[in-house]
Amino acid sequence: MINIALLGATGSIGQSTLSVVDLHPEKFNIFALSAHTNWQEMLRLCNAYKPTFAVMTDERAAEQLSSQIQGGTVVLSGAKALDEIASHEQTDYVMAAIVGAAGMASSLAAALSGKRIMLANKESLVLAGGLFMQAVKDNNAELIPVDSEHSAIFQCLQGGHSGLSKIQLTASGGPFLHTPLAELETITPEQACAHPNWSMGRKISVDSSTMMNKGLEVIEAHYLFDLPTRSIDVVVHPQSIVHSSVYFEDGSTLSQLGNPDMRTVISYAMSYPDRIISGVPALDLTQNSPLEFYAPDFNKFPCLRLAFESLEKGGSAMGTMNAANEIAVSSFLEGQIKFLDISIVIEKTLEKARHFHPDTLDDVINNDLNARTIASEVVQAYA
Ligand code: NAD
Ligand code: MG
């Protein structure tokens, strides 16, 4: 039995992970679960999966859960408890599916304790990619991407990097691919969250609509596959059937295809190097014609440009960009700023924040906090 600590159990990736676990009860055991505030859903999950530990990072939610829970599950509270379950000696695999910078410390704790990390929380790599990859290496952790593009590239690189010339991340282009720039002015949170192909949490849905998601993924790919910016390319592919491609110098290109459903990606991370059923039906190419590909529009989607620039600049720029994006997206979702202000908040925060090279986790955390303060001030100017 493989013991899984599922961080972010109540989210979109969390739910898909549980649905794959449901198909393989003889292989996987839910050892620990975490959620932030939704203790009612956590109570339901504890009754169904009987984990050893349930973490509610919000302390009041933890009290509510404790008062209602029956059976042997131990309820822990606070962010530190995430590190505890991620590094627990009985934990085999950690599904890192918390959204945002809040997921970084526990992903790192899993790396430091040599676990298999199934990494959905791309923000961990954007914030602390260097430290994170070093921790993976030093502790013989196994890092398997849980992002459809990176899983595709990981699968295409099973033969190694020999002759690799570039990787190409596909981007759906989000809900506004064909919307004229002038109409983006009045986009509402509901429109931004209505992704044409993928059903996801609200933050990543907004990131997809601004194409910041692809920007974060370029940085994620840089660290995961140890490639320079010039070897990472983006192509818009509205059907989300080709999940990404790897180009080799002999003229060969390998791509991974499938229906846009994260259960394929999650089951691969859980079963690697084997494959198991995921509940996703086989792809029918005749039902998905034509497959289209376009160059990305950096003018219409300035967030993608900002991500490439931050990666080139290196150091604290990526963490600053990520923090500013989180503040800008939540301000947009709360109706404080407009859709087109998101990239402006990020760009202004990048201009104002001090640029340096974070050497320690404390540096990363301080930069994140500092950038959030700056971004919140910029938001006030627009609200
Ligand atoms: P979601 O919003 O649906 O779920 C987020 C989870 O994180 C919830 O369980 C929530 O309780 C928890 N959480 C939120 N804030 C927290 C905090 N401050 N502290 C601790 N826990 C907190 O998000 P999602 O769509 O499942 O995405 C999760 C991660 O996976 C993100 O990093 C996202 O970029 C990545 N990802 C998601 C998809 C997808 O299809 N949904 C695809 C690729 C990558
Ligand atoms: Mg992705």
Side-chain angles (χ1 to χ4, degrees):
M1 255 323 197
I2 291 168
N3 274 340
I4 295 182
L6 171 50
L7 312 182
T10 50
S12 162
I13 295 287
Q15 285 170 2
S16 296
T17 303
L18 292 170
S19 78
V20 175
V21 168
D22 290 344
L23 296 173
H24 305 279
E26 72 301 341
K27 278 198 175 71
F28 302 106
N29 173 50
I30 292 295
F31 175 67
L33 293 171
S34 96
H36 191 39
T37 52
N38 189 348
W39 64 270
Q40 294 94 334
E41 175 62 7
M42 181 60 110
L43 183 61
R44 197 187 68 73
L45 295 179
C46 287
N47 289 334
Y49 294 95
K50 308 204 174 348
T52 305
F53 295 105
V55 172
M56 296 302 306
T57 35
D58 180 86
E59 304 201 353
R60 250 196 288 159
E63 282 167 24
Q64 297 271 23
L65 181 67
S66 293
S67 70
Q68 300 283 324
I69 206 157
Q70 289 165 344
T73 300
V74 176
V75 177
L76 303 173
S77 82
K80 279 266 169 271
L82 295 172
D83 302 5
E84 238 174 272
I85 59 171
S87 59
H88 195 285
E89 60 171 8
Q90 281 175 265
T91 295
D92 298 308
Y93 294 2
V94 175
M95 171 56 82
I98 289 173
V99 61
M104 181 192 63
S106 50
S107 305
L108 193 61
L112 289 168
S113 46
K115 306 297 184 192
R116 172 176 293 198
I117 311 149
M118 306 186 281
L119 188 69
N121 181 264
K122 60 192 87 182
E123 295 90 345
S124 295
L125 287 174
V126 174
L127 275 163
L131 291 170
F132 188 84
M133 295 310 291
Q134 193 62 45
V136 167
K137 197 167 157 214
D138 292 348
N139 298 283
N140 287 322
E142 254 186 313
L143 180 57
I144 322 269
V146 176
D147 206 342
S148 56
E149 300 76 3
H150 306 74
S151 175
I153 292 164
F154 183 77
Q155 294 180 50
C156 293
L157 285 175
Q158 285 304 302
H161 281 227
S162 171
L164 174 72
S165 52
K166 72 168 182 184
I167 61 172
Q168 186 178 57
L169 303 172
T170 48
S172 68
F176 310 132
L177 177 61
H178 300 298
T179 309
L181 183 57
E183 286 176 31
L184 295 183
E185 188 66 36
T186 55
I187 293 300
T188 64
E190 279 54 48
Q191 289 171 304
C193 288
H195 197 279
N197 307 335
W198 299 94
S199 145
M200 310 181 285
R202 281 166 78 78
K203 190 259 177 183
I204 183 175
S205 297
V206 176
D207 285 350
S208 298
S209 74
T210 61
M211 288 194 77
M212 177 53 95
N213 183 49
K214 210 51 51 186
L216 298 175
E217 291 184 356
V218 168
I219 300 172
E220 181 185 11
H222 160 76
Y223 285 111
L224 277 174
F225 305 113
D226 193 19
L227 292 172
T229 321
R230 65 174 182 283
S231 306
I232 308 171
D233 191 15
V234 172
V235 68
V236 174
H237 166 47
Q239 290 77 22
S240 299
I241 295 295
V242 174
H243 295 311
S244 278
S245 306
V246 175
Y247 289 67
F248 294 94
E249 52 193 25
D250 62 359
S252 189
T253 302
L254 297 187
S255 302
Q256 185 258 349
L257 286 70
N259 289 312
D261 188 320
M262 288 304 288
R263 289 175 299 171
T264 301
V265 177
I266 291 165
S267 68
Y268 186 70
M270 287 165 60
S271 63
Y272 173 81
D274 298 328
R275 288 186 188 266
I276 55 175
I277 58 161
S278 65
V280 178
L283 177 64
D284 180 349
L285 281 173
T286 64
Q287 295 302 305
N288 288 283
S289 300
L291 296 180
E292 300 163 285
F293 300 91
Y294 308 105
D297 181 342
F298 286 88
N299 286 326
K300 191 164 142 190
F301 297 105
C303 286
L304 186 57
R305 168 180 59 78
L306 289 171
F308 270 105
E309 286 171 5
S310 299
L311 174 56
E312 270 298 278
K313 193 161 186 195
S316 57
M318 294 170 278
T320 302
M321 179 195 77
N322 181 70
N325 181 53
E326 288 190 29
I327 296 291
V329 169
S330 64
S331 306
F332 167 68
L333 287 171
E334 286 159 17
Q336 283 179 277
I337 61 170
K338 291 191 189 147
F339 182 75
L340 290 177
D341 295 336
I342 294 175
S343 66
I344 296 174
V345 169
I346 300 167
E347 190 146 27
K348 290 217 177 303
T349 305
L350 279 163
E351 280 163 21
K352 287 174 191 251
R354 185 173 75 90
H355 181 255
F356 69 106
H357 282 268
D359 294 323
T360 64
L361 187 58
D362 278 347
D363 286 350
V364 170
I365 292 170
N366 288 335
N367 183 59
D368 177 67
L369 293 175
N370 189 36
R372 278 166 202 272
T373 306
I374 297 172
S376 301
E377 287 164 8
V378 177
V379 163
Q380 287 317 313
Y382 283 81

